[in-house]
Amino acid sequence: MSVSTLILRLNLSCAQTAAWVIERLSRVNLNVIQTFNLQWLPSGDDPKGDRADQDAIVGGQVIIFLVRKGSAWATLLLHGEETQTWISISKPLTSQESVNLATLIQSTLQSESRVQNGLQTLSSG
């Protein structure tokens, strides 16, 4: 059994967030393996698809990573829409090593996101 927790929201596309996650977690010697990547656009049956303003139609993307360190593992789920991505972490409740790994992942990404957001603010101002 595992539990999933939302840990972060970034103002980046899902693809940009995926690259950011891989880079940040690799820096702390974690093995990051992409296991799933799904992109979609609204179908023609979607009520939003009938609008004249086609620029308002937004697709989405889901990317799943398995993150390992030794025998410990956790799963990251990235769910993005255009320029926003939400990151959730799923960790098994049965292994203290995996719980510790999930805590490391969460603290690494959250502290790095504060740096990332600070850099975006400085560069846009």
Side-chain angles (χ1 to χ4, degrees):
M1 185 168 175
S2 64
V3 63
S4 183
T5 306
L6 179 66
I7 61 169
L8 196 56
R9 181 183 62 84
L10 293 175
N11 293 323
L12 297 171
S13 72
C14 202
Q16 291 170 320
T17 300
W20 181 84
V21 163
I22 292 168
E23 179 185 349
R24 293 329 188 258
L25 295 181
S26 295
R27 284 184 186 176
V28 292
N29 298 316
L30 299 179
N31 187 11
V32 183
I33 304 162
Q34 181 176 313
T35 61
F36 185 79
N37 186 345
L38 174 68
Q39 293 178 303
W40 69 90
L41 292 173
S43 69
D45 298 334
D46 188 340
K48 293 179 187 175
D50 294 333
R51 286 196 263 177
D53 182 12
Q54 294 297 313
D55 291 337
I57 297 173
V58 176
Q61 186 170 11
V62 172
I63 299 174
I64 299 175
F65 290 110
L66 177 64
V67 183
R68 296 185 59 102
K69 183 168 189 163
S71 63
W73 62 273
T75 304
L76 284 180
L77 171 71
L78 283 58
H79 174 252
E81 293 180 352
E82 210 163 274
T83 60
Q84 284 196 344
T85 302
W86 295 263
I87 302 174
S88 298
I89 192 165
S90 179
K91 57 191 175 208
L93 298 175
T94 56
S95 164
Q96 187 59 43
E97 285 181 325
S98 293
V99 171
N100 293 343
L101 174 61
T103 301
L104 172 63
I105 293 167
Q106 183 172 345
S107 65
T108 299
L109 294 180
Q110 287 176 341
S111 66
E112 288 289 330
S113 74
R114 284 190 275 281
V115 171
Q116 176 77 19
N117 287 335
L119 291 174
Q120 287 178 347
T121 303
L122 290 174
S123 65
S124 63

